[in-house]
Amino acid sequence: DTGVSQDPRHKITKRGQNVTFRCDPISEHNRLYWYRQTLGQGPEFLTYFQNEAQLEKSRLLSDRFSAERPKGSFSTLEIQRTEQGDSAMYLCASSLEPAQFFGPGTRLTVL
Amino acid sequence: DQQVKQNSPSLSVQEGRISILNCDYTNSMFDYFLWYKKYPAEGPTFLISISSIKDKNEDGRFTVFLNKSAKHLSLHIVPSQPGDSAVYFCAARDQTGANNLFFGTGTRLTVIP
């Protein structure tokens, strides 16, 4: 399977804990995006990478969120000191412009 | 402020008939429009796109129409099949920044056998 993969698929954590998600994009795509989707809404942009450079961050990405893409390959999204409002589906997409191809998402539940 | 709007949360269509899903947008800087299909517990799947310089793009049973003056696009599925039942998201690309996508809130399509 050469699509976008994400790990884990589900994460349940207690408020205040840190969590980290991983995304493996389609190998020939140099752009990688993170989105967040809550119930009844479409995905909302969080941040994006061109190769290893993080070029833009949305105002949704508070200081508790950090993303990396070492060596321009896989990416990680870390949320520190999780809050109940962080509960959502976190989606990763890699891009062969103009289309973006999404992974299956990581569903985060903060108790 | 929602820049991409899908005003119909749901649509039911008989198998074999045409499904028409609508989308409106406000930002004239969008340069591409895309439709995605989403099943529960999966990420959105890319269906079809259209450049802002075109008014129609067709791929098999799927056709997207763009009316720039009205800032409106639609996805036509014909003939509709039960396997088309899913949530459909309209998305628009902002060419001025990260090329990130702005999504509507989705329309749940149910195709009745």
Side-chain angles (χ1 to χ4, degrees), chain A residues 20-39:
Chain A
T20 300
F21 311 141
R22 177 180 170 124
C23 170
D24 287 89
I26 297 169
S27 57
E28 60 267 29
H29 293 180
N30 60 0
R31 287 192 172 206
L32 184 150
Y33 295 81
W34 284 98
Y35 290 83
R36 181 174 72 184
Q37 184 176 18
T38 53
L39 197 62

Side-chain angles (χ1 to χ4, degrees), chain B residues 58-70:
Chain B
E58 189 173 355
D59 183 2
R61 297 185 299 113
F62 301 91
T63 303
V64 57
F65 295 92
L66 175 63
N67 181 336
K68 279 190 71 176
S69 61

Side-chain angles (χ1 to χ4, degrees), chain A:
Chain A
D1 189 348
T2 57
V4 178
S5 61
Q6 292 187 246
D7 183 70
R9 294 291 304 274
H10 304 273
K11 179 70 176 178
I12 300 174
T13 191
K14 292 183 179 178
R15 190 166 45 127
Q17 298 294 305
N18 300 344
V19 294
T20 300
F21 311 141
R22 177 180 170 124
C23 170
D24 287 89
I26 297 169
S27 57
E28 60 267 29
H29 293 180
N30 60 0
R31 287 192 172 206
L32 184 150
Y33 295 81
W34 284 98
Y35 290 83
R36 181 174 72 184
Q37 184 176 18
T38 53
L39 197 62
Q41 300 297 315
E44 294 175 290
F45 169 71
L46 291 178
T47 189
Y48 108 99
F49 292 84
Q50 173 106 12
N51 299 312
E52 68 275 11
Q54 186 175 16
L55 295 183
E56 189 153 331
K57 293 191 279 189
S58 139
R59 56 180 162 73
L60 293 177
L61 211 69
S62 77
D63 291 344
R64 297 183 296 106
F65 287 68
S66 62
E68 293 182 345
R69 192 182 182 198
K71 303 178 184 177
S73 56
F74 70 92
S75 176
T76 58
L77 177 69
E78 180 183 15
I79 309 174
Q80 296 182 327
R81 305 181 304 282
T82 52
E83 300 173 357
Q84 288 184 326
D86 297 332
S87 296
M89 174 77 84
Y90 289 84
L91 293 161
C92 172
S94 70
S95 177
L96 189 62
E97 301 292 343
Q100 295 181 17
F101 297 90
F102 285 83
T106 295
R107 179 164 296 284
L108 173 66
T109 302
V110 182
L111 302 176

Side-chain angles (χ1 to χ4, degrees), chain B residues 14-26:
Chain B
Q14 286 290 135
E15 180 179 3
R17 305 295 290 268
I18 185 170
S19 296
I20 300 175
L21 298 109
N22 293 303
C23 178
D24 297 292
Y25 63 95
T26 57

